[in-house]
């Protein structure tokens, strides 16, 4: 197995529309959660979300833009950023040995929602001709491949909240074993349609609005947490063998050391300690990393009662008493839950944090919970951190648990 380097990172997110902007916002504890300004906001119980300031017209010509749902716009722009940062000369590459691996939970839900509104609410018997092309889950990956002529495997993963972690892990496997020279891997999500948000409301998993500080409504690991806040955006990584990256003089952003995958197989929404332990254990084995050598964890940390307590318990099973010395960050407090793109954004932020010797904060953690008693880096980033290895956890409805093992660049 070859060592796999990350040589490019692209981000479109509530924290900023580049990897650097997103990292600096997270480092400074700036929240991307705000009141929704959509026409349907008054019909929502809690009209807040982590939204992206983004206009697709600035990136795509009108005809192409009509075929791209917001989820594809995010994905293509993030991939283009990552490729530009990698400084790869694509004209000298065998594009049949380049793969695209993208995770998304809901796909083009804005386009699908618009079509349903035309049919069922407006009484029209016609919808836009590109609705299927815009709404299909594999559209972001397909457009990334088309944009750059990549003819290797083009795969879309939809495993709810772990989708993009799975996509990155599966891409890592193929680059590590030599099946591919390079891969674009990550996730994209644009779930803020009226129908989507109302469906999430019906599950009773969304956070109540903090009346004093609405932007602080997502409170991972805090006793007064009330649920998650939906977010949108995309994050993409360029993965290639470390040897090739060094040979061409590329700047290495970090490494992927391993990937663990395990399934709860017990309940469609309820997480299990056993499933999360299995995924973290598999990731550490894959990376050949002993638990005492791990420096930090990026938690799934959704802010729901069940997930945060379960994840805390699972970390204790893996690391024993040392769990209390491992810093655990939950950045969803700032950027919301990007569903299928969450794992990719959190992986990107973790790599950047290690580059800058920073441990990112878990915001809005003011009330301690006896069931959540680890070091969650409360409310403020820690500078001068000596973090060289991290786990990035992604756990999902449906039970697919995916964990990435990351290492800082040498």
């Amino acid at each position: 197995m070859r060592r796999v380097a990350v040589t490019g990172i692209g981000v479109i997110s509530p924290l900023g529309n580049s990897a650097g902007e997103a990292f600096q916002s997270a480092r400074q504890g700036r929240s991307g959660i705000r009141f929704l300004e959509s026409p349907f906001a008054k019909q929502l119980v809690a009209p807040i979300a982590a939204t992206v300031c983004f206009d697709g017209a600035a990136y795509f010509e009108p005809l192409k833009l009509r075929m791209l749902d917001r989820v594809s716009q995010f994905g293509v722009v993030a991939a283009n950023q990552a490729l530009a940062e990698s400084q790869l000369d694509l004209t000298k590459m065998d594009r049949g040995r380049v793969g695209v691996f993208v995770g998304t939970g809901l796909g083009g839900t804005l386009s699908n929602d618009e079509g349903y509104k035309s049919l069922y609410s407006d009484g029209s018997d016609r919808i836009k001709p590109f609705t299927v092309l815009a709404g299909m889950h594999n559209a972001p990956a397909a457009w990334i491949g088309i944009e750059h002529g990549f003819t290797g495997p083009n795969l879309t993963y939809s495993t709810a909240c772990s989708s993009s972690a799975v996509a990155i892990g599966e891409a890592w496997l193929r680059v590590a074993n030599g099946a591919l020279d390079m891969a674009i891997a990550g996730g994209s999500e644009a779930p803020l349609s009226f129908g989507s948000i109302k469906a999430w409301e019906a599950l009773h998993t969304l956070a109540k609005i903090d009346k004093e500080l609405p932007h602080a409504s997502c409170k991972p690991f805090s006793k007064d947490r009330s649920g998650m806040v939906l977010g949108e955006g995309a994050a993409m990584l360029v993965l290639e063998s470390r040897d090739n990256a060094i040979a061409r003089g590329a700047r290495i952003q970090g490494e992927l050391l391993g990937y663990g995958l395990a399934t709860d197989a017990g309940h469609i929404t309820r997480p299990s300690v056993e499933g999360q332990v299995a995924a973290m254990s598999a990731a550490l084995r894959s990376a050949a990393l002993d638990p005492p050598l791990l420096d930090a964890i990026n938690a799934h940390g959704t802010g729901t009662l069940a997930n945060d307590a379960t994840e805390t318990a699972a970390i204790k099973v893996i690391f024993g008493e040392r769990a209390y010395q491992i810093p655990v960050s939950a950045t969803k407090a700032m950027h919301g839950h990007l569903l299928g793109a969450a794992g990719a954004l959190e992986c990107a932020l973790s790599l950047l944090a290690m580059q800058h010797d920073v441990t990112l904060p878990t915001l809005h953690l003011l009330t301690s919970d006896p069931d959540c008693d680890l070091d969650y880096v409360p409310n403020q980033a820690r500078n001068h951190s000596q973090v060289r290895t991290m786990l990035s956890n992604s756990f999902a409805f449906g039970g697919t648990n995916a964990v990435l093992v990351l290492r800082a660049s040498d």
Side-chain angles (χ1 to χ4, degrees):
M1 297 286 279
R2 304 185 296 179
R3 292 174 66 177
V4 177
V6 177
T7 55
I9 303 175
V11 171
I12 299 293
S13 82
L15 301 181
N17 289 341
S18 72
E21 286 179 20
F23 169 70
Q24 290 301 332
S25 293
R27 182 180 195 171
Q28 294 165 19
R30 291 201 295 261
S31 177
I33 295 170
R34 54 186 64 90
F35 280 107
L36 280 169
E37 298 179 355
S38 304
F40 54 77
K42 292 182 180 179
Q43 296 173 261
L44 300 175
V45 174
I48 56 170
T51 57
V52 174
C53 296
F54 180 92
D55 180 5
Y59 299 94
F60 304 99
E61 54 88 18
L63 178 60
K64 186 172 183 178
L65 187 62
R66 287 199 291 272
M67 292 189 283
L68 299 180
D69 184 272
R70 191 168 171 87
V71 72
S72 292
Q73 296 169 35
F74 289 162
V76 170
V77 175
N80 288 348
Q81 288 179 5
L83 284 164
E85 186 177 62
S86 74
Q87 297 187 326
L88 281 159
D89 185 352
L90 298 180
T91 64
K92 297 180 179 179
M93 296 188 68
D94 178 355
R95 300 191 198 199
R97 289 184 54 80
V98 178
V100 180
F101 301 77
V102 176
T104 185
L106 298 179
T109 186
L110 289 164
S111 296
N112 290 329
D113 208 50
E114 183 183 357
Y116 297 146
K117 181 180 181 297
S118 295
L119 290 174
Y120 302 134
S121 178
D122 300 340
S124 173
D125 61 356
R126 300 182 64 187
I127 60 175
K128 291 183 177 180
F130 297 133
T131 298
V132 169
L133 304 182
M136 62 191 190
H137 280 57
N138 66 319
W143 282 113
I144 292 168
I146 291 168
E147 183 95 349
H148 300 285
F150 297 144
T151 57
N154 191 296
L155 298 171
T156 298
Y157 300 86
S158 191
T159 57
C161 309
S162 61
S163 299
S164 56
V166 171
I168 292 170
E170 295 296 319
W172 169 79
L173 283 170
R174 288 164 175 80
V175 175
N177 69 19
L180 293 176
D181 296 330
M182 190 268 279
I184 301 290
S188 188
E189 201 77 270
L192 303 182
S193 69
F194 182 45
S196 169
I197 298 174
K198 292 302 288 185
W200 280 101
E201 280 185 0
L203 276 175
H204 301 290
T205 58
L206 298 185
K208 297 175 183 177
I209 295 178
D210 185 307
K211 293 180 180 179
E212 295 183 6
L213 297 170
H215 70 271
S217 296
C218 183
K219 309 173 192 293
F221 300 108
S222 180
K223 187 174 178 60
D224 60 348
R225 66 192 184 276
S226 62
M228 66 186 200
V229 174
L230 291 174
E232 61 176 355
M236 298 289 170
L237 310 179
V238 172
L239 306 181
E240 59 181 302
S241 82
R242 184 175 179 275
D243 287 345
N244 287 347
I246 291 172
R248 68 181 185 84
R251 177 172 176 241
I252 294 176
Q253 308 275 1
E255 286 186 61
L256 264 68
L257 291 186
Y259 160 56
L261 199 60
T263 305
D264 289 333
H267 192 279
I268 195 71
T269 62
R270 189 181 305 130
S272 78
V273 172
E274 296 78 11
Q276 296 184 7
V277 166
M280 285 188 277
S281 297
L284 291 167
R285 287 196 305 273
S286 170
L289 186 70
D290 291 332
L293 299 178
L294 185 82
D295 295 323
I297 298 172
N298 177 84
H300 187 53
T302 60
T304 62
L305 291 173
N307 176 82
D308 293 1
T310 301
E311 187 168 13
T312 297
I315 291 170
K316 291 178 183 178
V317 171
I318 294 288
F319 297 100
E321 284 299 313
R322 187 172 173 270
Y324 293 95
Q325 281 75 56
I326 299 173
V328 179
S329 303
T331 55
K332 288 184 178 74
M334 294 177 277
H335 56 65
H337 196 337
L338 273 65
L339 305 178
L345 178 58
E346 292 160 22
C347 175
L349 290 174
S350 297
L351 289 165
L352 291 163
M354 286 192 291
Q355 277 185 37
H356 291 85
D357 296 323
V358 170
T359 307
L360 294 175
T362 300
L363 292 191
H364 325 312
L365 182 47
L366 301 176
T367 308
S368 61
D369 182 344
D371 292 330
C372 299
D373 58 350
L374 301 178
D375 174 11
Y376 303 110
V377 195
N379 305 311
Q380 188 172 358
R382 291 179 190 156
N383 296 316
H384 312 298
S385 297
Q386 299 299 312
V387 173
R388 306 300 297 165
T389 57
M390 287 188 70
L391 292 186
S392 187
N393 289 343
S394 295
F395 308 131
F397 282 179
T400 300
N401 302 312
V403 177
L404 302 171
V405 187
L406 313 175
R407 180 162 59 192
S409 57
D410 296 332

